[in-house]
Amino acid sequence: MMAGLLLAAALLGASAVLAADMVRVGKSVSQPFAFAPLEIGTAEGIWAKHGLDVEVTIFAGDAKLQQGLVANSVDFGLGSGPAMGFLAKGVPAKAVGALANEPLSMGLIVGASSTIRKPEDLKGAKVGVTTNGSLTYWLARELSRQMGWGSEGIETVALGQISAQFAALKRGQVDGIIMSSSQGYGLEEKNDGRLLLEFGTYIKDFHTHIIYATSDMIENKPDQVRRFLAGWKDVIAFMAGNKDETVRIAREVTGLDQAVESREYDDVMPMMSRDLRFSPKALDVIAESFPEMGIMSEKPDMRRLYTEEFLDNPN
């Protein structure tokens, strides 16, 4: 009888070890290499080591992701820094980690036969973005501002998912699109487009991508928030030390060829935060842009929109 009890206890313990907590994570868009740690962590067993099973959902831009957070259809969201403006408007979530800093990965792509040859030619151009208030929207308006044309010197056109943006560029409905520079590399190889500029040249103090957590997760499952962020940092450490394997898995996410993905790795890894800490200067850049860009009427108190309390490794 004692042997049976010991066996039952052992099986119960094994089940507890094997039972991972399911966390639902939304991506604002599908293609960024910066969001591939979700799949890389699964493939390498890193999430499992933290007792997590990650379920991924793809959204058509920041606004749609924020709707998912409101509806509680996801627990975490991978979105842009400018999307913090949605939090100030009442989305029940907080920024819990700054996953990527200056926008080294982002570019503006024009058609292969476009007459736009240099950034100065963009005045009055129509440029496709995912949604209003998104990272791509912010980048277009900030570039216009830096070029001396005010925030509306470049006309933004909300197009949603990447396939719609490619189609609009091909049909000439827009003069350019903003997305990962790697997509520009791929279009150049096919003679379907040309990378005009990379935003890292113009914008330095910034949080390009942010990890968001719902208020429900923060209040009711803080241990899962800590474990998710600890797991994320472990995935980034793996990626930094294992380029070949990272590129192999990332290609399954992005659909890019070997040469383009390798180039993207070199572009993006320097912007990936190792500690997920927020920069006061970067947060101030984002906050000050909201009134000018029409995202909010006044600069918000950013301290209410983020927390670093979950960034220390769990015990």
Side-chain angles (χ1 to χ4, degrees), residues 11-20:
L11 290 173
L12 182 62
S15 297
V17 170
L18 293 173

Side-chain angles (χ1 to χ4, degrees), residues 155-174:
E155 182 181 347
T156 58
V157 182
L159 296 171
Q161 295 184 350
I162 185 171
S163 58
Q165 296 184 57
F166 282 150
L169 182 66
K170 187 173 183 178
R171 290 194 296 261
Q173 294 174 326
V174 293

Side-chain angles (χ1 to χ4, degrees), residues 181-232:
S181 298
S182 59
Q183 299 295 330
Y185 305 152
L187 290 178
E188 286 177 346
E189 286 194 346
K190 300 173 184 176
N191 293 318
D192 287 337
R194 176 166 42 86
L195 183 64
L196 180 71
L197 62 85
E198 294 180 292
F199 284 95
T201 304
Y202 298 86
I203 300 164
K204 302 299 181 183
D205 296 302
F206 193 60
H207 289 317
T208 301
H209 298 303
I210 296 285
I211 300 173
Y212 296 94
T214 64
S215 297
D216 181 64
M217 287 295 287
I218 289 171
E219 294 168 9
N220 299 315
K221 299 178 181 178
D223 178 62
Q224 290 185 24
V225 178
R226 289 190 180 90
R227 283 188 280 136
F228 181 76
L229 296 177
W232 185 278

Side-chain angles (χ1 to χ4, degrees), residues 20-285:
D21 293 311
M22 169 73 75
V23 291
R24 304 164 300 163
V25 186
K27 296 183 181 183
S28 58
V29 286
S30 62
Q31 82 275 11
F33 176 92
F35 294 169
L38 293 179
E39 290 80 8
I40 293 169
T42 296
E44 296 298 325
I46 295 172
W47 298 122
K49 291 177 183 176
H50 288 270
L52 298 174
D53 182 10
V54 173
E55 178 183 87
V56 178
T57 300
I58 308 299
F59 291 86
D62 269 318
K64 297 295 185 181
L65 170 64
Q66 297 296 325
Q67 290 172 14
L69 293 171
V70 170
N72 206 32
S73 62
V74 291
D75 304 311
F76 297 95
L78 307 184
S80 73
M84 292 180 75
F86 291 104
L87 307 186
K89 293 181 177 181
V91 170
K94 275 192 175 183
V96 293
L99 77 88
N101 297 312
E102 68 272 37
L104 301 177
S105 64
M106 300 300 295
L108 195 152
I109 302 159
V110 296
S113 58
S114 174
T115 58
I116 297 175
R117 311 302 301 180
K118 56 187 185 298
E120 289 76 11
D121 297 335
L122 287 167
K123 187 174 183 180
K126 290 184 177 181
V127 173
V129 300
T130 52
T131 58
N132 291 338
S134 66
L135 170 64
T136 52
Y137 175 84
W138 190 95
L139 290 172
R141 292 172 70 87
E142 176 63 13
L143 176 64
S144 177
R145 189 187 69 80
Q146 290 201 19
M147 297 299 293
W149 308 326
S151 296
E152 298 181 353
I154 296 173
E155 182 181 347
T156 58
V157 182
L159 296 171
Q161 295 184 350
I162 185 171
S163 58
Q165 296 184 57
F166 282 150
L169 182 66
K170 187 173 183 178
R171 290 194 296 261
Q173 294 174 326
V174 293
D175 300 300
I177 52 179
I178 297 174
M179 57 181 59
S180 297
S181 298
S182 59
Q183 299 295 330
Y185 305 152
L187 290 178
E188 286 177 346
E189 286 194 346
K190 300 173 184 176
N191 293 318
D192 287 337
R194 176 166 42 86
L195 183 64
L196 180 71
L197 62 85
E198 294 180 292
F199 284 95
T201 304
Y202 298 86
I203 300 164
K204 302 299 181 183
D205 296 302
F206 193 60
H207 289 317
T208 301
H209 298 303
I210 296 285
I211 300 173
Y212 296 94
T214 64
S215 297
D216 181 64
M217 287 295 287
I218 289 171
E219 294 168 9
N220 299 315
K221 299 178 181 178
D223 178 62
Q224 290 185 24
V225 178
R226 289 190 180 90
R227 283 188 280 136
F228 181 76
L229 296 177
W232 185 278
K233 287 188 282 186
D234 285 350
V235 177
I236 300 305
F238 171 85
M239 293 168 65
N242 297 273
K243 178 178 179 178
D244 290 347
E245 181 68 1
T246 296
V247 168
R248 183 189 68 78
I249 301 170
R251 287 184 61 204
E252 299 175 8
V253 179
T254 64
L256 299 172
D257 67 28
Q258 176 75 26
V260 171
E261 194 61 82
S262 179
R263 186 176 175 184
E264 182 172 44
Y265 176 97
D266 294 335
D267 283 347
V268 178
M269 285 308 298
M271 69 185 271
M272 299 295 285
S273 175
R274 272 47 171 184
D275 62 10
L276 303 180
R277 299 282 176 183
F278 292 90
S279 159
K281 192 169 185 180
L283 290 172
D284 199 51
V285 167

